[in-house]
Amino acid sequence: MVDGTKRPYVVAVAIQVIYTGLFVVSKAAFDSGINTYVFIFYRLTAATALLLPLALISSCRRRSTTMATPEPTMSCRLVFKLFLYALLGNTFTLNVYNGSLKQTSATVGSAATNSMPVATFLLALLLRMEAVKVRSRSGLGKLVGVALCVAGVLVIAFYAGPSIRPLAHHPIFAHKPHSVSNSAWIRGTFLLLLACATWSLWIVLQVPLLKEYPNKLMATAMQCLFGALQSFVVAVVVERDFAKWKLGLDIGLLAILYSAFLGTGALMYLQAWCAEMKGPLFVAMWSPLALVFTIVCSSFFLGEAVHLGRYVIF
């Protein structure tokens, strides 16, 4: 059993492991040709199919237990708030992020998440959810951590260092590489940073949301449901050829199942729980760990030649 004081740290590491798998399988699916907007719709639909029944069963059990705390009510104002949060954290963030991931690499996608501690820190300061005491060790630690994250993002985005050969000669998910122009790579990198910023805002907003509505499972399920409906509208507008919506027994289906059950359902629940326990900045500060994992896994499974970064030519 994990001690209660150590549990948030174990959960934070588990979140980064899930992220690593999400980066790798999603990039492999996009390289195989699946439409990113259709992918997001299937991902959120599958996550809703998993989480919503569990949330309803959990709510029914809470109501049948007389000793349990009263079940919070789902007001119209709360439903509208969940709809907006789903639009921000699911529909917008996931579609922008995955569309940009297709133009770059799994390693760059993971590296972009290093900007999340910076964005989360600034947002938490603006909303007075975090305080910095410069003269204290904790305050200095936060500032140093933010500075390192900024430096890491700049290195990945602007510096092209020596390449690292793939760890596997015959990667499992390797596909024929497609050429990406330098401008597309730059655009994709900055859109990844934008998606990470909106995801940071979503993490920060979960703290007051869970104080208003403590049922984390139902809140997560409702956001997945609204996100699936919103993403369906986006996918229909972008991809009207429904023949391309068909799924087969390939990496696309594997990526959808993984991203739905772990990358959306479990990840959103664990991040909301961790943010409630230790604050939103604590969740975001662990994101550099996923970069280390992704460098190894993308090289081994995707056959990517990993670089320290790329020159950005304006």
Side-chain angles (χ1 to χ4, degrees), residues 54-88:
L54 293 177
L56 292 174
I57 293 172
S58 176
S59 297
C60 291
R61 288 181 177 177
R62 287 172 59 90
R63 291 171 183 171
S64 62
T65 304
T66 56
M67 296 298 293
T69 56
E71 182 74 14
T73 57
M74 184 74 72
S75 63
C76 294
R77 177 177 174 274
L78 180 60
V79 171
F80 181 69
K81 186 179 293 186
L82 291 171
F83 181 86
L84 291 180
Y85 288 0
L87 184 63
L88 173 70

mmCIF file of all heavy atoms in Angstrom, residues 54-88:
data_model
loop_
_atom_site.group_PDB
_atom_site.id
_atom_site.type_symbol
_atom_site.label_atom_id
_atom_site.label_comp_id
_atom_site.label_asym_id
_atom_site.label_seq_id
_atom_site.Cartn_x
_atom_site.Cartn_y
_atom_site.Cartn_z
ATOM 1 N N LEU A 54 -20.165 4.328 -15.136
ATOM 2 C CA LEU A 54 -19.495 4.229 -13.836
ATOM 3 C C LEU A 54 -19.906 5.376 -12.921
ATOM 4 O O LEU A 54 -20.112 5.183 -11.714
ATOM 5 C CB LEU A 54 -17.979 4.224 -14.025
ATOM 6 C CG LEU A 54 -17.372 3.006 -14.728
ATOM 7 C CD1 LEU A 54 -15.865 3.195 -14.903
ATOM 8 C CD2 LEU A 54 -17.648 1.729 -13.947
ATOM 9 N N ALA A 55 -20.023 6.577 -13.492
ATOM 10 C CA ALA A 55 -20.421 7.735 -12.690
ATOM 11 C C ALA A 55 -21.859 7.603 -12.199
ATOM 12 O O ALA A 55 -22.162 7.942 -11.044
ATOM 13 C CB ALA A 55 -20.262 9.011 -13.521
ATOM 14 N N LEU A 56 -22.742 7.092 -13.059
ATOM 15 C CA LEU A 56 -24.141 6.915 -12.654
ATOM 16 C C LEU A 56 -24.271 5.848 -11.577
ATOM 17 O O LEU A 56 -25.027 6.004 -10.606
ATOM 18 C CB LEU A 56 -24.983 6.542 -13.879
ATOM 19 C CG LEU A 56 -25.141 7.646 -14.940
ATOM 20 C CD1 LEU A 56 -25.860 7.108 -16.167
ATOM 21 C CD2 LEU A 56 -25.884 8.849 -14.363
ATOM 22 N N ILE A 57 -23.541 4.742 -11.717
ATOM 23 C CA ILE A 57 -23.575 3.683 -10.709
ATOM 24 C C ILE A 57 -23.029 4.206 -9.382
ATOM 25 O O ILE A 57 -23.598 3.937 -8.303
ATOM 26 C CB ILE A 57 -22.761 2.464 -11.182
ATOM 27 C CG1 ILE A 57 -23.452 1.808 -12.379
ATOM 28 C CG2 ILE A 57 -22.598 1.445 -10.058
ATOM 29 C CD1 ILE A 57 -22.628 0.715 -13.035
ATOM 30 N N SER A 58 -21.943 4.965 -9.450
ATOM 31 C CA SER A 58 -21.361 5.527 -8.236
ATOM 32 C C SER A 58 -22.324 6.485 -7.548
ATOM 33 O O SER A 58 -22.452 6.479 -6.314
ATOM 34 C CB SER A 58 -20.055 6.252 -8.571
ATOM 35 O OG SER A 58 -19.506 6.873 -7.449
ATOM 36 N N SER A 59 -23.044 7.299 -8.330
ATOM 37 C CA SER A 59 -24.005 8.236 -7.755
ATOM 38 C C SER A 59 -25.167 7.505 -7.093
ATOM 39 O O SER A 59 -25.631 7.902 -6.018
ATOM 40 C CB SER A 59 -24.524 9.184 -8.840
ATOM 41 O OG SER A 59 -23.477 9.968 -9.374
ATOM 42 N N CYS A 60 -25.624 6.444 -7.738
ATOM 43 C CA CYS A 60 -26.726 5.657 -7.161
ATOM 44 C C CYS A 60 -26.307 5.013 -5.844
ATOM 45 O O CYS A 60 -27.097 4.952 -4.885
ATOM 46 C CB CYS A 60 -27.184 4.592 -8.150
ATOM 47 S SG CYS A 60 -28.007 5.239 -9.615
ATOM 48 N N ARG A 61 -25.085 4.521 -5.769
ATOM 49 C CA ARG A 61 -24.598 3.916 -4.538
ATOM 50 C C ARG A 61 -24.468 4.940 -3.424
ATOM 51 O O ARG A 61 -24.778 4.651 -2.260
ATOM 52 C CB ARG A 61 -23.255 3.240 -4.785
ATOM 53 C CG ARG A 61 -23.353 1.949 -5.605
ATOM 54 C CD ARG A 61 -21.986 1.328 -5.799
ATOM 55 N NE ARG A 61 -22.083 0.060 -6.521
ATOM 56 C CZ ARG A 61 -21.034 -0.681 -6.884
ATOM 57 N NH1 ARG A 61 -19.795 -0.256 -6.579
ATOM 58 N NH2 ARG A 61 -21.205 -1.806 -7.524
ATOM 59 N N ARG A 62 -24.033 6.135 -3.769
ATOM 60 C CA ARG A 62 -23.909 7.194 -2.771
ATOM 61 C C ARG A 62 -25.272 7.575 -2.217
ATOM 62 O O ARG A 62 -25.415 7.812 -1.019
ATOM 63 C CB ARG A 62 -23.229 8.422 -3.383
ATOM 64 C CG ARG A 62 -21.729 8.255 -3.624
ATOM 65 C CD ARG A 62 -21.189 9.436 -4.406
ATOM 66 N NE ARG A 62 -21.410 10.679 -3.700
ATOM 67 C CZ ARG A 62 -20.546 11.215 -2.832
ATOM 68 N NH1 ARG A 62 -19.412 10.589 -2.572
ATOM 69 N NH2 ARG A 62 -20.810 12.356 -2.241
ATOM 70 N N ARG A 63 -26.264 7.620 -3.075
ATOM 71 C CA ARG A 63 -27.605 7.997 -2.616
ATOM 72 C C ARG A 63 -28.249 6.923 -1.752
ATOM 73 O O ARG A 63 -29.053 7.216 -0.866
ATOM 74 C CB ARG A 63 -28.493 8.282 -3.827
ATOM 75 C CG ARG A 63 -28.096 9.551 -4.587
ATOM 76 C CD ARG A 63 -28.856 9.681 -5.884
ATOM 77 N NE ARG A 63 -28.425 10.862 -6.635
ATOM 78 C CZ ARG A 63 -28.801 11.138 -7.883
ATOM 79 N NH1 ARG A 63 -29.627 10.297 -8.518
ATOM 80 N NH2 ARG A 63 -28.368 12.226 -8.478
ATOM 81 N N SER A 64 -27.906 5.648 -2.029
ATOM 82 C CA SER A 64 -28.489 4.546 -1.256
ATOM 83 C C SER A 64 -27.816 4.357 0.097
ATOM 84 O O SER A 64 -28.317 3.626 0.945
ATOM 85 C CB SER A 64 -28.392 3.246 -2.048
ATOM 86 O OG SER A 64 -27.040 2.901 -2.293
ATOM 87 N N THR A 65 -26.666 5.002 0.307
ATOM 88 C CA THR A 65 -25.945 4.900 1.575
ATOM 89 C C THR A 65 -26.324 6.086 2.449
ATOM 90 O O THR A 65 -26.023 7.232 2.139
ATOM 91 C CB THR A 65 -24.423 4.904 1.332
ATOM 92 O OG1 THR A 65 -24.098 3.851 0.422
ATOM 93 C CG2 THR A 65 -23.669 4.683 2.637
ATOM 94 N N THR A 66 -26.981 5.795 3.559
ATOM 95 C CA THR A 66 -27.479 6.864 4.426
ATOM 96 C C THR A 66 -26.351 7.636 5.097
ATOM 97 O O THR A 66 -26.493 8.815 5.425
ATOM 98 C CB THR A 66 -28.388 6.276 5.522
ATOM 99 O OG1 THR A 66 -27.651 5.262 6.238
ATOM 100 C CG2 THR A 66 -29.623 5.651 4.921
ATOM 101 N N MET A 67 -25.188 6.973 5.284
ATOM 102 C CA MET A 67 -24.079 7.627 5.966
ATOM 103 C C MET A 67 -23.258 8.511 5.026
ATOM 104 O O MET A 67 -22.409 9.267 5.470
ATOM 105 C CB MET A 67 -23.153 6.574 6.584
ATOM 106 C CG MET A 67 -23.810 5.732 7.664
ATOM 107 S SD MET A 67 -24.343 6.731 9.075
ATOM 108 C CE MET A 67 -22.753 7.247 9.713
ATOM 109 N N ALA A 68 -23.528 8.377 3.758
ATOM 110 C CA ALA A 68 -22.737 9.131 2.784
ATOM 111 C C ALA A 68 -23.140 10.604 2.776
ATOM 112 O O ALA A 68 -24.248 10.963 3.177
ATOM 113 C CB ALA A 68 -22.911 8.546 1.381
ATOM 114 N N THR A 69 -22.244 11.454 2.335
ATOM 115 C CA THR A 69 -22.563 12.869 2.203
ATOM 116 C C THR A 69 -23.571 13.062 1.075
ATOM 117 O O THR A 69 -23.600 12.287 0.115
ATOM 118 C CB THR A 69 -21.291 13.672 1.874
ATOM 119 O OG1 THR A 69 -20.692 13.140 0.702
ATOM 120 C CG2 THR A 69 -20.299 13.575 3.028
ATOM 121 N N PRO A 70 -24.433 14.072 1.178
ATOM 122 C CA PRO A 70 -25.456 14.277 0.149
ATOM 123 C C PRO A 70 -24.836 14.478 -1.233
ATOM 124 O O PRO A 70 -23.799 15.135 -1.374
ATOM 125 C CB PRO A 70 -26.180 15.541 0.627
ATOM 126 C CG PRO A 70 -25.890 15.619 2.091
ATOM 127 C CD PRO A 70 -24.524 15.035 2.272
ATOM 128 N N GLU A 71 -25.465 13.898 -2.244
ATOM 129 C CA GLU A 71 -24.987 14.043 -3.620
ATOM 130 C C GLU A 71 -25.202 15.475 -4.092
ATOM 131 O O GLU A 71 -26.304 16.029 -3.961
ATOM 132 C CB GLU A 71 -25.746 13.079 -4.538
ATOM 133 C CG GLU A 71 -25.312 13.096 -5.989
ATOM 134 C CD GLU A 71 -23.969 12.408 -6.201
ATOM 135 O OE1 GLU A 71 -23.517 11.690 -5.273
ATOM 136 O OE2 GLU A 71 -23.381 12.581 -7.269
ATOM 137 N N PRO A 72 -24.180 16.132 -4.625
ATOM 138 C CA PRO A 72 -24.343 17.509 -5.091
ATOM 139 C C PRO A 72 -25.304 17.568 -6.277
ATOM 140 O O PRO A 72 -25.381 16.648 -7.094
ATOM 141 C CB PRO A 72 -22.924 17.908 -5.511
ATOM 142 C CG PRO A 72 -22.215 16.620 -5.762
ATOM 143 C CD PRO A 72 -22.816 15.630 -4.807
ATOM 144 N N THR A 73 -26.041 18.655 -6.351
ATOM 145 C CA THR A 73 -27.033 18.812 -7.410
ATOM 146 C C THR A 73 -26.371 19.327 -8.683
ATOM 147 O O THR A 73 -25.406 20.090 -8.642
ATOM 148 C CB THR A 73 -28.133 19.783 -6.974
ATOM 149 O OG1 THR A 73 -27.535 21.048 -6.626
ATOM 150 C CG2 THR A 73 -28.884 19.230 -5.767
ATOM 151 N N MET A 74 -26.922 18.909 -9.825
ATOM 152 C CA MET A 74 -26.431 19.323 -11.139
ATOM 153 C C MET A 74 -27.348 20.429 -11.657
ATOM 154 O O MET A 74 -28.355 20.166 -12.318
ATOM 155 C CB MET A 74 -26.399 18.138 -12.089
ATOM 156 C CG MET A 74 -25.808 18.441 -13.450
ATOM 157 S SD MET A 74 -24.009 18.623 -13.465
ATOM 158 C CE MET A 74 -23.474 16.929 -13.232
ATOM 159 N N SER A 75 -27.014 21.653 -11.336
ATOM 160 C CA SER A 75 -27.826 22.788 -11.745
ATOM 161 C C SER A 75 -27.566 23.137 -13.206
ATOM 162 O O SER A 75 -26.577 22.691 -13.808
ATOM 163 C CB SER A 75 -27.522 24.002 -10.860
ATOM 164 O OG SER A 75 -26.175 24.393 -11.017
ATOM 165 N N CYS A 76 -28.455 23.961 -13.774
ATOM 166 C CA CYS A 76 -28.275 24.406 -15.161
ATOM 167 C C CYS A 76 -26.999 25.222 -15.307
ATOM 168 O O CYS A 76 -26.298 25.112 -16.327
ATOM 169 C CB CYS A 76 -29.486 25.228 -15.593
ATOM 170 S SG CYS A 76 -31.032 24.288 -15.688
ATOM 171 N N ARG A 77 -26.692 26.008 -14.305
ATOM 172 C CA ARG A 77 -25.468 26.803 -14.339
ATOM 173 C C ARG A 77 -24.249 25.890 -14.357
ATOM 174 O O ARG A 77 -23.282 26.144 -15.086
ATOM 175 C CB ARG A 77 -25.429 27.720 -13.118
ATOM 176 C CG ARG A 77 -24.154 28.552 -12.995
ATOM 177 C CD ARG A 77 -24.235 29.480 -11.794
ATOM 178 N NE ARG A 77 -22.978 30.192 -11.576
ATOM 179 C CZ ARG A 77 -21.964 29.713 -10.884
ATOM 180 N NH1 ARG A 77 -22.062 28.503 -10.325
ATOM 181 N NH2 ARG A 77 -20.867 30.416 -10.739
ATOM 182 N N LEU A 78 -24.276 24.818 -13.577
ATOM 183 C CA LEU A 78 -23.154 23.884 -13.539
ATOM 184 C C LEU A 78 -23.024 23.128 -14.856
ATOM 185 O O LEU A 78 -21.914 22.904 -15.344
ATOM 186 C CB LEU A 78 -23.336 22.903 -12.386
ATOM 187 C CG LEU A 78 -22.236 21.861 -12.204
ATOM 188 C CD1 LEU A 78 -20.889 22.533 -11.944
ATOM 189 C CD2 LEU A 78 -22.566 20.911 -11.058
ATOM 190 N N VAL A 79 -24.141 22.732 -15.447
ATOM 191 C CA VAL A 79 -24.113 22.035 -16.738
ATOM 192 C C VAL A 79 -23.493 22.935 -17.813
ATOM 193 O O VAL A 79 -22.675 22.481 -18.621
ATOM 194 C CB VAL A 79 -25.532 21.598 -17.145
ATOM 195 C CG1 VAL A 79 -25.548 21.076 -18.583
ATOM 196 C CG2 VAL A 79 -26.055 20.523 -16.201
ATOM 197 N N PHE A 80 -23.879 24.193 -17.808
ATOM 198 C CA PHE A 80 -23.322 25.134 -18.781
ATOM 199 C C PHE A 80 -21.828 25.313 -18.565
ATOM 200 O O PHE A 80 -21.039 25.406 -19.518
ATOM 201 C CB PHE A 80 -24.042 26.480 -18.672
ATOM 202 C CG PHE A 80 -23.550 27.511 -19.655
ATOM 203 C CD1 PHE A 80 -23.789 27.369 -21.014
ATOM 204 C CD2 PHE A 80 -22.837 28.625 -19.217
ATOM 205 C CE1 PHE A 80 -23.336 28.313 -21.933
ATOM 206 C CE2 PHE A 80 -22.387 29.573 -20.115
ATOM 207 C CZ PHE A 80 -22.632 29.420 -21.478
ATOM 208 N N LYS A 81 -21.407 25.341 -17.297
ATOM 209 C CA LYS A 81 -19.986 25.473 -16.983
ATOM 210 C C LYS A 81 -19.215 24.243 -17.464
ATOM 211 O O LYS A 81 -18.120 24.364 -18.029
ATOM 212 C CB LYS A 81 -19.803 25.662 -15.481
ATOM 213 C CG LYS A 81 -18.367 25.946 -15.069
ATOM 214 C CD LYS A 81 -18.253 26.143 -13.566
ATOM 215 C CE LYS A 81 -18.969 27.397 -13.129
ATOM 216 N NZ LYS A 81 -18.742 27.665 -11.684
ATOM 217 N N LEU A 82 -19.772 23.051 -17.251
ATOM 218 C CA LEU A 82 -19.133 21.824 -17.731
ATOM 219 C C LEU A 82 -19.035 21.820 -19.254
ATOM 220 O O LEU A 82 -18.057 21.326 -19.823
ATOM 221 C CB LEU A 82 -19.901 20.604 -17.242
ATOM 222 C CG LEU A 82 -19.834 20.322 -15.735
ATOM 223 C CD1 LEU A 82 -20.822 19.216 -15.359
ATOM 224 C CD2 LEU A 82 -18.424 19.922 -15.327
ATOM 225 N N PHE A 83 -20.063 22.351 -19.921
ATOM 226 C CA PHE A 83 -20.058 22.438 -21.375
ATOM 227 C C PHE A 83 -18.909 23.338 -21.854
ATOM 228 O O PHE A 83 -18.182 22.986 -22.799
ATOM 229 C CB PHE A 83 -21.395 22.988 -21.869
ATOM 230 C CG PHE A 83 -21.496 23.103 -23.364
ATOM 231 C CD1 PHE A 83 -21.909 22.020 -24.136
ATOM 232 C CD2 PHE A 83 -21.177 24.290 -24.011
ATOM 233 C CE1 PHE A 83 -22.003 22.126 -25.523
ATOM 234 C CE2 PHE A 83 -21.267 24.401 -25.387
ATOM 235 C CZ PHE A 83 -21.687 23.317 -26.145
ATOM 236 N N LEU A 84 -18.718 24.479 -21.191
ATOM 237 C CA LEU A 84 -17.648 25.395 -21.572
ATOM 238 C C LEU A 84 -16.278 24.796 -21.277
ATOM 239 O O LEU A 84 -15.349 24.945 -22.079
ATOM 240 C CB LEU A 84 -17.818 26.724 -20.831
ATOM 241 C CG LEU A 84 -19.016 27.584 -21.224
ATOM 242 C CD1 LEU A 84 -19.043 28.863 -20.399
ATOM 243 C CD2 LEU A 84 -18.994 27.916 -22.711
ATOM 244 N N TYR A 85 -16.153 24.107 -20.137
ATOM 245 C CA TYR A 85 -14.876 23.487 -19.801
ATOM 246 C C TYR A 85 -14.535 22.371 -20.780
ATOM 247 O O TYR A 85 -13.367 22.166 -21.121
ATOM 248 C CB TYR A 85 -14.918 22.935 -18.377
ATOM 249 C CG TYR A 85 -14.896 23.993 -17.295
ATOM 250 C CD1 TYR A 85 -14.841 25.349 -17.622
ATOM 251 C CD2 TYR A 85 -14.950 23.653 -15.951
ATOM 252 C CE1 TYR A 85 -14.829 26.319 -16.644
ATOM 253 C CE2 TYR A 85 -14.930 24.625 -14.958
ATOM 254 C CZ TYR A 85 -14.875 25.953 -15.311
ATOM 255 O OH TYR A 85 -14.859 26.921 -14.338
ATOM 256 N N ALA A 86 -15.566 21.640 -21.231
ATOM 257 C CA ALA A 86 -15.338 20.602 -22.239
ATOM 258 C C ALA A 86 -14.899 21.216 -23.559
ATOM 259 O O ALA A 86 -14.035 20.673 -24.264
ATOM 260 C CB ALA A 86 -16.612 19.785 -22.433
ATOM 261 N N LEU A 87 -15.491 22.354 -23.901
ATOM 262 C CA LEU A 87 -15.119 23.052 -25.130
ATOM 263 C C LEU A 87 -13.662 23.504 -25.076
ATOM 264 O O LEU A 87 -12.928 23.424 -26.072
ATOM 265 C CB LEU A 87 -16.027 24.261 -25.332
ATOM 266 C CG LEU A 87 -15.855 25.071 -26.622
ATOM 267 C CD1 LEU A 87 -16.184 24.215 -27.838
ATOM 268 C CD2 LEU A 87 -16.738 26.316 -26.597
ATOM 269 N N LEU A 88 -13.229 23.936 -23.896
ATOM 270 C CA LEU A 88 -11.857 24.393 -23.725
ATOM 271 C C LEU A 88 -10.871 23.237 -23.613
ATOM 272 O O LEU A 88 -9.894 23.154 -24.369
ATOM 273 C CB LEU A 88 -11.755 25.269 -22.473
ATOM 274 C CG LEU A 88 -10.349 25.696 -22.053
ATOM 275 C CD1 LEU A 88 -9.782 26.708 -23.047
ATOM 276 C CD2 LEU A 88 -10.358 26.268 -20.644
#
